[in-house]
Amino acid sequence: MQQPLDPHDLDTGTLALFAGFAATSAVQDELAAHGFPDLRMSHGYVFQHLLRARPTIGDLAEKLDMTQQGASKAVAELERLGYTERLPDPHDARIRRVTLTPRGHEAVAAARHARAALEERLRQRFGTTALDAARALLADLLDTLGGAAAVQRREVRPPR
């Protein structure tokens, strides 16, 4: 049996990052089990901008702090996988807007369900008080480090 990790072996940011990676992996496993085996963490950075808007590739590139070529490549991959499509702008047919397909919306719903199930699993394991305290501390850390506003605006960018 593996020894528990000593919390002093890693700095706070690395511990939070690795806990996030483990949570993401658990969600991805659940998504794969429900018919979405091709979704990756990086796709979420694009998805967040398609939930309430139909941006252009240029808009996405700016929000993701990447080149238009990089944003176009990411959208093309999601198109091949059936999660997004590009549609003409209703006011100017020369402009193409990116939107989620029905499969994309299904994937969002499945991811939300998987995260809720993980949250419940953690609540059962650690109890409501401890989990709420951990969540409050992580939210305070995020705010202190300047990341809360981007989360609230759904404008989290991939790490550089």
Side-chain angles (χ1 to χ4, degrees), residues 54-121:
R54 292 183 169 188
T56 64
I57 294 293
D59 295 336
L60 271 176
E62 183 178 326
K63 289 186 178 293
L64 294 170
D65 194 26
M66 62 184 351
T67 65
Q68 285 194 9
Q69 181 181 6
S72 183
K73 183 178 176 183
V75 168
E77 177 185 14
L78 288 168
E79 282 178 316
R80 279 192 308 277
L81 297 172
Y83 297 109
T84 64
E85 61 185 334
R86 295 180 221 201
L87 300 173
D89 183 277
H91 306 293
D92 186 344
R94 296 171 297 170
I95 298 173
R96 308 284 286 173
R97 298 208 170 263
V98 182
T99 187
L100 290 173
T101 62
R103 179 163 173 75
H105 285 288
E106 290 170 10
V108 169
R112 287 176 175 163
H113 182 269
R115 286 193 299 272
L118 175 60
E119 196 72 12
E120 181 56 30
R121 192 172 106 209

